[in-house]
Amino acid sequence: MTQTIEREFKVSLTEQQFNQLRAAYSWPTPFTQTNYYYELPQNGLYQQHMGLRTRLYQEQAEQTLKVPQTGATRTLLEITDTMPLATAQQLIAQQTIQPNQQIAKYLEAIGIDWSALFIWGQATTNRQVLTLPSGRLTLDQTTYPDQTADYELELEFDDATPLNKIQRAKNHQS
């Protein structure tokens, strides 16, 4: 179990932009992950701006709940429970999450009946991650069950102190 604060910027790309970025950097070997997305009746998670997924890797899996942080732009609390791949596959088949782990406990603590969760969708992503001084740069190609593909660039960063243009302009007036 881990709890981390995630700060990220995401940009949708065209296939051409994706290929240009892939050619412009020395990316590590891509890896594949499949996400299964959960929801509650009446879009209970969506209404609270939360997201819950089970992510399958080649040899392991994890469930992650993303919770927006009040007052913080592009900042999420990520609660992640890891598990063996076989356990995740069983939970997906049952459309549920791990009981007695941090995500279930968190949902219970805020009054959400996690037993009402169901899987509403899935996506498979081929991902490449490059570590840069400014953060982790991620290049994704995601395919959905209807065979539609999309492309995304993400920068995940730790330093939440960059000033916006107005703040920078205020600092540099004579």
Side-chain angles (χ1 to χ4, degrees), residues 84-113:
L85 184 59
T87 300
Q89 290 167 331
Q90 290 172 344
L91 293 169
I92 289 166
Q94 297 167 359
Q95 297 205 31
T96 191
I97 63 171
Q98 293 188 98
N100 303 316
Q101 296 295 317
Q102 290 304 299
I103 292 172
K105 290 177 182 177
Y106 180 89
L107 292 173
E108 288 172 0
I110 63 170
I112 292 177
D113 177 11

PDB file of all heavy atoms in Angstrom, residues 84-113:
ATOM      1  N   PRO A  84      -0.877  -9.700  -6.258  1.00  0.00           N
ATOM      2  CA  PRO A  84      -0.459 -10.621  -7.314  1.00  0.00           C
ATOM      3  C   PRO A  84      -1.421 -10.528  -8.505  1.00  0.00           C
ATOM      4  O   PRO A  84      -2.608 -10.226  -8.344  1.00  0.00           O
ATOM      5  CB  PRO A  84      -0.536 -12.000  -6.654  1.00  0.00           C
ATOM      6  CG  PRO A  84      -0.533 -11.749  -5.186  1.00  0.00           C
ATOM      7  CD  PRO A  84      -1.178 -10.396  -4.998  1.00  0.00           C
ATOM      8  N   LEU A  85      -0.909 -10.813  -9.674  1.00  0.00           N
ATOM      9  CA  LEU A  85      -1.703 -10.754 -10.893  1.00  0.00           C
ATOM     10  C   LEU A  85      -2.938 -11.650 -10.809  1.00  0.00           C
ATOM     11  O   LEU A  85      -4.037 -11.246 -11.185  1.00  0.00           O
ATOM     12  CB  LEU A  85      -0.832 -11.147 -12.092  1.00  0.00           C
ATOM     13  CG  LEU A  85      -1.469 -11.059 -13.461  1.00  0.00           C
ATOM     14  CD1 LEU A  85      -1.943  -9.651 -13.771  1.00  0.00           C
ATOM     15  CD2 LEU A  85      -0.472 -11.532 -14.522  1.00  0.00           C
ATOM     16  N   ALA A  86      -2.782 -12.861 -10.304  1.00  0.00           N
ATOM     17  CA  ALA A  86      -3.916 -13.796 -10.216  1.00  0.00           C
ATOM     18  C   ALA A  86      -5.022 -13.251  -9.320  1.00  0.00           C
ATOM     19  O   ALA A  86      -6.206 -13.413  -9.621  1.00  0.00           O
ATOM     20  CB  ALA A  86      -3.439 -15.157  -9.717  1.00  0.00           C
ATOM     21  N   THR A  87      -4.653 -12.592  -8.230  1.00  0.00           N
ATOM     22  CA  THR A  87      -5.647 -11.985  -7.341  1.00  0.00           C
ATOM     23  C   THR A  87      -6.422 -10.902  -8.078  1.00  0.00           C
ATOM     24  O   THR A  87      -7.661 -10.839  -8.006  1.00  0.00           O
ATOM     25  CB  THR A  87      -4.970 -11.396  -6.092  1.00  0.00           C
ATOM     26  OG1 THR A  87      -4.285 -12.434  -5.395  1.00  0.00           O
ATOM     27  CG2 THR A  87      -5.978 -10.722  -5.174  1.00  0.00           C
ATOM     28  N   ALA A  88      -5.704 -10.050  -8.804  1.00  0.00           N
ATOM     29  CA  ALA A  88      -6.364  -8.981  -9.561  1.00  0.00           C
ATOM     30  C   ALA A  88      -7.316  -9.550 -10.601  1.00  0.00           C
ATOM     31  O   ALA A  88      -8.429  -9.038 -10.769  1.00  0.00           O
ATOM     32  CB  ALA A  88      -5.316  -8.099 -10.226  1.00  0.00           C
ATOM     33  N   GLN A  89      -6.909 -10.590 -11.288  1.00  0.00           N
ATOM     34  CA  GLN A  89      -7.773 -11.195 -12.302  1.00  0.00           C
ATOM     35  C   GLN A  89      -9.052 -11.750 -11.673  1.00  0.00           C
ATOM     36  O   GLN A  89     -10.135 -11.622 -12.255  1.00  0.00           O
ATOM     37  CB  GLN A  89      -7.002 -12.282 -13.063  1.00  0.00           C
ATOM     38  CG  GLN A  89      -5.923 -11.682 -13.943  1.00  0.00           C
ATOM     39  CD  GLN A  89      -4.931 -12.699 -14.475  1.00  0.00           C
ATOM     40  OE1 GLN A  89      -4.669 -13.729 -13.860  1.00  0.00           O
ATOM     41  NE2 GLN A  89      -4.359 -12.392 -15.638  1.00  0.00           N
ATOM     42  N   GLN A  90      -8.953 -12.335 -10.481  1.00  0.00           N
ATOM     43  CA  GLN A  90     -10.148 -12.827  -9.781  1.00  0.00           C
ATOM     44  C   GLN A  90     -11.063 -11.669  -9.384  1.00  0.00           C
ATOM     45  O   GLN A  90     -12.281 -11.747  -9.527  1.00  0.00           O
ATOM     46  CB  GLN A  90      -9.751 -13.624  -8.538  1.00  0.00           C
ATOM     47  CG  GLN A  90      -9.109 -14.956  -8.842  1.00  0.00           C
ATOM     48  CD  GLN A  90      -8.562 -15.631  -7.590  1.00  0.00           C
ATOM     49  OE1 GLN A  90      -8.392 -15.000  -6.539  1.00  0.00           O
ATOM     50  NE2 GLN A  90      -8.286 -16.925  -7.704  1.00  0.00           N
ATOM     51  N   LEU A  91     -10.470 -10.594  -8.870  1.00  0.00           N
ATOM     52  CA  LEU A  91     -11.268  -9.432  -8.468  1.00  0.00           C
ATOM     53  C   LEU A  91     -11.958  -8.785  -9.662  1.00  0.00           C
ATOM     54  O   LEU A  91     -13.111  -8.363  -9.561  1.00  0.00           O
ATOM     55  CB  LEU A  91     -10.387  -8.411  -7.735  1.00  0.00           C
ATOM     56  CG  LEU A  91      -9.847  -8.864  -6.376  1.00  0.00           C
ATOM     57  CD1 LEU A  91      -8.787  -7.888  -5.882  1.00  0.00           C
ATOM     58  CD2 LEU A  91     -10.967  -9.024  -5.362  1.00  0.00           C
ATOM     59  N   ILE A  92     -11.280  -8.727 -10.794  1.00  0.00           N
ATOM     60  CA  ILE A  92     -11.890  -8.182 -12.009  1.00  0.00           C
ATOM     61  C   ILE A  92     -13.077  -9.043 -12.428  1.00  0.00           C
ATOM     62  O   ILE A  92     -14.148  -8.535 -12.755  1.00  0.00           O
ATOM     63  CB  ILE A  92     -10.845  -8.067 -13.133  1.00  0.00           C
ATOM     64  CG1 ILE A  92      -9.869  -6.936 -12.800  1.00  0.00           C
ATOM     65  CG2 ILE A  92     -11.505  -7.842 -14.492  1.00  0.00           C
ATOM     66  CD1 ILE A  92      -8.611  -6.938 -13.641  1.00  0.00           C
ATOM     67  N   ALA A  93     -12.908 -10.350 -12.388  1.00  0.00           N
ATOM     68  CA  ALA A  93     -14.004 -11.260 -12.752  1.00  0.00           C
ATOM     69  C   ALA A  93     -15.208 -11.054 -11.831  1.00  0.00           C
ATOM     70  O   ALA A  93     -16.360 -11.178 -12.259  1.00  0.00           O
ATOM     71  CB  ALA A  93     -13.530 -12.707 -12.711  1.00  0.00           C
ATOM     72  N   GLN A  94     -14.941 -10.702 -10.566  1.00  0.00           N
ATOM     73  CA  GLN A  94     -16.015 -10.478  -9.585  1.00  0.00           C
ATOM     74  C   GLN A  94     -16.463  -9.015  -9.543  1.00  0.00           C
ATOM     75  O   GLN A  94     -17.371  -8.663  -8.784  1.00  0.00           O
ATOM     76  CB  GLN A  94     -15.527 -10.902  -8.194  1.00  0.00           C
ATOM     77  CG  GLN A  94     -15.195 -12.369  -8.100  1.00  0.00           C
ATOM     78  CD  GLN A  94     -14.414 -12.699  -6.832  1.00  0.00           C
ATOM     79  OE1 GLN A  94     -14.082 -11.838  -6.013  1.00  0.00           O
ATOM     80  NE2 GLN A  94     -14.111 -13.986  -6.655  1.00  0.00           N
ATOM     81  N   GLN A  95     -15.811  -8.156 -10.317  1.00  0.00           N
ATOM     82  CA  GLN A  95     -16.087  -6.721 -10.365  1.00  0.00           C
ATOM     83  C   GLN A  95     -16.052  -6.084  -8.975  1.00  0.00           C
ATOM     84  O   GLN A  95     -16.962  -5.342  -8.581  1.00  0.00           O
ATOM     85  CB  GLN A  95     -17.413  -6.438 -11.072  1.00  0.00           C
ATOM     86  CG  GLN A  95     -17.384  -6.881 -12.511  1.00  0.00           C
ATOM     87  CD  GLN A  95     -18.367  -6.133 -13.370  1.00  0.00           C
ATOM     88  OE1 GLN A  95     -18.666  -4.971 -13.123  1.00  0.00           O
ATOM     89  NE2 GLN A  95     -18.857  -6.799 -14.407  1.00  0.00           N
ATOM     90  N   THR A  96     -14.970  -6.347  -8.272  1.00  0.00           N
ATOM     91  CA  THR A  96     -14.823  -5.793  -6.933  1.00  0.00           C
ATOM     92  C   THR A  96     -13.367  -5.418  -6.690  1.00  0.00           C
ATOM     93  O   THR A  96     -12.520  -5.571  -7.571  1.00  0.00           O
ATOM     94  CB  THR A  96     -15.343  -6.780  -5.866  1.00  0.00           C
ATOM     95  OG1 THR A  96     -15.427  -6.098  -4.614  1.00  0.00           O
ATOM     96  CG2 THR A  96     -14.457  -8.011  -5.749  1.00  0.00           C
ATOM     97  N   ILE A  97     -13.087  -4.918  -5.489  1.00  0.00           N
ATOM     98  CA  ILE A  97     -11.731  -4.548  -5.092  1.00  0.00           C
ATOM     99  C   ILE A  97     -11.321  -5.376  -3.893  1.00  0.00           C
ATOM    100  O   ILE A  97     -12.130  -6.112  -3.325  1.00  0.00           O
ATOM    101  CB  ILE A  97     -11.620  -3.040  -4.790  1.00  0.00           C
ATOM    102  CG1 ILE A  97     -12.514  -2.661  -3.602  1.00  0.00           C
ATOM    103  CG2 ILE A  97     -11.968  -2.226  -6.030  1.00  0.00           C
ATOM    104  CD1 ILE A  97     -12.311  -1.242  -3.094  1.00  0.00           C
ATOM    105  N   GLN A  98     -10.063  -5.222  -3.490  1.00  0.00           N
ATOM    106  CA  GLN A  98      -9.570  -5.953  -2.333  1.00  0.00           C
ATOM    107  C   GLN A  98     -10.233  -5.455  -1.053  1.00  0.00           C
ATOM    108  O   GLN A  98     -10.155  -4.266  -0.744  1.00  0.00           O
ATOM    109  CB  GLN A  98      -8.060  -5.754  -2.176  1.00  0.00           C
ATOM    110  CG  GLN A  98      -7.227  -6.363  -3.260  1.00  0.00           C
ATOM    111  CD  GLN A  98      -5.765  -6.270  -2.912  1.00  0.00           C
ATOM    112  OE1 GLN A  98      -5.200  -7.228  -2.416  1.00  0.00           O
ATOM    113  NE2 GLN A  98      -5.164  -5.113  -3.155  1.00  0.00           N
ATOM    114  N   PRO A  99     -10.866  -6.336  -0.313  1.00  0.00           N
ATOM    115  CA  PRO A  99     -11.406  -5.917   0.987  1.00  0.00           C
ATOM    116  C   PRO A  99     -10.259  -5.776   1.991  1.00  0.00           C
ATOM    117  O   PRO A  99      -9.190  -6.331   1.805  1.00  0.00           O
ATOM    118  CB  PRO A  99     -12.338  -7.071   1.365  1.00  0.00           C
ATOM    119  CG  PRO A  99     -11.783  -8.253   0.643  1.00  0.00           C
ATOM    120  CD  PRO A  99     -11.160  -7.722  -0.620  1.00  0.00           C
ATOM    121  N   ASN A 100     -10.477  -5.016   3.014  1.00  0.00           N
ATOM    122  CA  ASN A 100      -9.519  -4.847   4.112  1.00  0.00           C
ATOM    123  C   ASN A 100      -8.180  -4.259   3.685  1.00  0.00           C
ATOM    124  O   ASN A 100      -7.188  -4.424   4.386  1.00  0.00           O
ATOM    125  CB  ASN A 100      -9.294  -6.175   4.856  1.00  0.00           C
ATOM    126  CG  ASN A 100     -10.575  -6.742   5.396  1.00  0.00           C
ATOM    127  OD1 ASN A 100     -11.389  -6.007   5.965  1.00  0.00           O
ATOM    128  ND2 ASN A 100     -10.794  -8.020   5.191  1.00  0.00           N
ATOM    129  N   GLN A 101      -8.154  -3.603   2.546  1.00  0.00           N
ATOM    130  CA  GLN A 101      -6.947  -2.892   2.126  1.00  0.00           C
ATOM    131  C   GLN A 101      -7.228  -1.393   2.191  1.00  0.00           C
ATOM    132  O   GLN A 101      -8.329  -0.966   2.510  1.00  0.00           O
ATOM    133  CB  GLN A 101      -6.538  -3.323   0.711  1.00  0.00           C
ATOM    134  CG  GLN A 101      -6.148  -4.787   0.606  1.00  0.00           C
ATOM    135  CD  GLN A 101      -4.889  -5.113   1.399  1.00  0.00           C
ATOM    136  OE1 GLN A 101      -3.921  -4.369   1.368  1.00  0.00           O
ATOM    137  NE2 GLN A 101      -4.921  -6.218   2.124  1.00  0.00           N
ATOM    138  N   GLN A 102      -6.229  -0.583   1.889  1.00  0.00           N
ATOM    139  CA  GLN A 102      -6.339   0.856   2.096  1.00  0.00           C
ATOM    140  C   GLN A 102      -7.436   1.523   1.271  1.00  0.00           C
ATOM    141  O   GLN A 102      -8.102   2.437   1.759  1.00  0.00           O
ATOM    142  CB  GLN A 102      -4.992   1.528   1.821  1.00  0.00           C
ATOM    143  CG  GLN A 102      -3.958   1.195   2.877  1.00  0.00           C
ATOM    144  CD  GLN A 102      -4.424   1.560   4.275  1.00  0.00           C
ATOM    145  OE1 GLN A 102      -4.700   2.717   4.572  1.00  0.00           O
ATOM    146  NE2 GLN A 102      -4.541   0.566   5.146  1.00  0.00           N
ATOM    147  N   ILE A 103      -7.645   1.077   0.030  1.00  0.00           N
ATOM    148  CA  ILE A 103      -8.689   1.712  -0.785  1.00  0.00           C
ATOM    149  C   ILE A 103     -10.065   1.437  -0.193  1.00  0.00           C
ATOM    150  O   ILE A 103     -10.874   2.363  -0.024  1.00  0.00           O
ATOM    151  CB  ILE A 103      -8.605   1.246  -2.251  1.00  0.00           C
ATOM    152  CG1 ILE A 103      -7.324   1.785  -2.880  1.00  0.00           C
ATOM    153  CG2 ILE A 103      -9.837   1.696  -3.042  1.00  0.00           C
ATOM    154  CD1 ILE A 103      -7.026   1.236  -4.261  1.00  0.00           C
ATOM    155  N   ALA A 104     -10.345   0.197   0.135  1.00  0.00           N
ATOM    156  CA  ALA A 104     -11.645  -0.143   0.727  1.00  0.00           C
ATOM    157  C   ALA A 104     -11.836   0.611   2.042  1.00  0.00           C
ATOM    158  O   ALA A 104     -12.922   1.152   2.303  1.00  0.00           O
ATOM    159  CB  ALA A 104     -11.749  -1.648   0.948  1.00  0.00           C
ATOM    160  N   LYS A 105     -10.807   0.695   2.853  1.00  0.00           N
ATOM    161  CA  LYS A 105     -10.901   1.409   4.129  1.00  0.00           C
ATOM    162  C   LYS A 105     -11.140   2.906   3.917  1.00  0.00           C
ATOM    163  O   LYS A 105     -11.922   3.523   4.636  1.00  0.00           O
ATOM    164  CB  LYS A 105      -9.637   1.183   4.963  1.00  0.00           C
ATOM    165  CG  LYS A 105      -9.523  -0.236   5.489  1.00  0.00           C
ATOM    166  CD  LYS A 105      -8.224  -0.443   6.239  1.00  0.00           C
ATOM    167  CE  LYS A 105      -8.103  -1.868   6.720  1.00  0.00           C
ATOM    168  NZ  LYS A 105      -6.831  -2.133   7.404  1.00  0.00           N
ATOM    169  N   TYR A 106     -10.461   3.485   2.942  1.00  0.00           N
ATOM    170  CA  TYR A 106     -10.652   4.904   2.652  1.00  0.00           C
ATOM    171  C   TYR A 106     -12.089   5.166   2.207  1.00  0.00           C
ATOM    172  O   TYR A 106     -12.735   6.104   2.683  1.00  0.00           O
ATOM    173  CB  TYR A 106      -9.661   5.369   1.574  1.00  0.00           C
ATOM    174  CG  TYR A 106      -9.821   6.833   1.239  1.00  0.00           C
ATOM    175  CD1 TYR A 106      -9.123   7.804   1.944  1.00  0.00           C
ATOM    176  CD2 TYR A 106     -10.685   7.252   0.223  1.00  0.00           C
ATOM    177  CE1 TYR A 106      -9.285   9.154   1.650  1.00  0.00           C
ATOM    178  CE2 TYR A 106     -10.847   8.602  -0.072  1.00  0.00           C
ATOM    179  CZ  TYR A 106     -10.148   9.535   0.643  1.00  0.00           C
ATOM    180  OH  TYR A 106     -10.317  10.862   0.359  1.00  0.00           O
ATOM    181  N   LEU A 107     -12.578   4.349   1.269  1.00  0.00           N
ATOM    182  CA  LEU A 107     -13.950   4.533   0.786  1.00  0.00           C
ATOM    183  C   LEU A 107     -14.954   4.387   1.925  1.00  0.00           C
ATOM    184  O   LEU A 107     -15.892   5.182   2.033  1.00  0.00           O
ATOM    185  CB  LEU A 107     -14.246   3.553  -0.349  1.00  0.00           C
ATOM    186  CG  LEU A 107     -13.474   3.807  -1.649  1.00  0.00           C
ATOM    187  CD1 LEU A 107     -13.711   2.676  -2.647  1.00  0.00           C
ATOM    188  CD2 LEU A 107     -13.823   5.153  -2.253  1.00  0.00           C
ATOM    189  N   GLU A 108     -14.758   3.401   2.787  1.00  0.00           N
ATOM    190  CA  GLU A 108     -15.643   3.234   3.953  1.00  0.00           C
ATOM    191  C   GLU A 108     -15.588   4.465   4.849  1.00  0.00           C
ATOM    192  O   GLU A 108     -16.625   4.940   5.329  1.00  0.00           O
ATOM    193  CB  GLU A 108     -15.240   1.990   4.753  1.00  0.00           C
ATOM    194  CG  GLU A 108     -15.588   0.690   4.074  1.00  0.00           C
ATOM    195  CD  GLU A 108     -15.014  -0.528   4.792  1.00  0.00           C
ATOM    196  OE1 GLU A 108     -14.336  -0.378   5.846  1.00  0.00           O
ATOM    197  OE2 GLU A 108     -15.232  -1.647   4.291  1.00  0.00           O
ATOM    198  N   ALA A 109     -14.386   5.001   5.063  1.00  0.00           N
ATOM    199  CA  ALA A 109     -14.216   6.153   5.959  1.00  0.00           C
ATOM    200  C   ALA A 109     -14.938   7.402   5.448  1.00  0.00           C
ATOM    201  O   ALA A 109     -15.348   8.244   6.253  1.00  0.00           O
ATOM    202  CB  ALA A 109     -12.734   6.455   6.166  1.00  0.00           C
ATOM    203  N   ILE A 110     -15.106   7.523   4.131  1.00  0.00           N
ATOM    204  CA  ILE A 110     -15.823   8.691   3.600  1.00  0.00           C
ATOM    205  C   ILE A 110     -17.274   8.353   3.244  1.00  0.00           C
ATOM    206  O   ILE A 110     -17.943   9.118   2.558  1.00  0.00           O
ATOM    207  CB  ILE A 110     -15.077   9.324   2.400  1.00  0.00           C
ATOM    208  CG1 ILE A 110     -14.975   8.355   1.221  1.00  0.00           C
ATOM    209  CG2 ILE A 110     -13.705   9.839   2.829  1.00  0.00           C
ATOM    210  CD1 ILE A 110     -14.456   9.007  -0.061  1.00  0.00           C
ATOM    211  N   GLY A 111     -17.744   7.197   3.717  1.00  0.00           N
ATOM    212  CA  GLY A 111     -19.151   6.848   3.574  1.00  0.00           C
ATOM    213  C   GLY A 111     -19.545   6.225   2.247  1.00  0.00           C
ATOM    214  O   GLY A 111     -20.719   6.278   1.877  1.00  0.00           O
ATOM    215  N   ILE A 112     -18.597   5.646   1.527  1.00  0.00           N
ATOM    216  CA  ILE A 112     -18.906   5.010   0.242  1.00  0.00           C
ATOM    217  C   ILE A 112     -18.940   3.498   0.414  1.00  0.00           C
ATOM    218  O   ILE A 112     -18.002   2.904   0.956  1.00  0.00           O
ATOM    219  CB  ILE A 112     -17.874   5.403  -0.836  1.00  0.00           C
ATOM    220  CG1 ILE A 112     -18.037   6.893  -1.168  1.00  0.00           C
ATOM    221  CG2 ILE A 112     -18.029   4.542  -2.087  1.00  0.00           C
ATOM    222  CD1 ILE A 112     -17.040   7.416  -2.172  1.00  0.00           C
ATOM    223  N   ASP A 113     -20.028   2.884  -0.039  1.00  0.00           N
ATOM    224  CA  ASP A 113     -20.184   1.430  -0.010  1.00  0.00           C
ATOM    225  C   ASP A 113     -19.459   0.837  -1.210  1.00  0.00           C
ATOM    226  O   ASP A 113     -20.009   0.768  -2.307  1.00  0.00           O
ATOM    227  CB  ASP A 113     -21.671   1.060  -0.039  1.00  0.00           C
ATOM    228  CG  ASP A 113     -21.905  -0.439  -0.090  1.00  0.00           C
ATOM    229  OD1 ASP A 113     -20.952  -1.222   0.095  1.00  0.00           O
ATOM    230  OD2 ASP A 113     -23.065  -0.828  -0.327  1.00  0.00           O
TER     231      ASP A 113
END
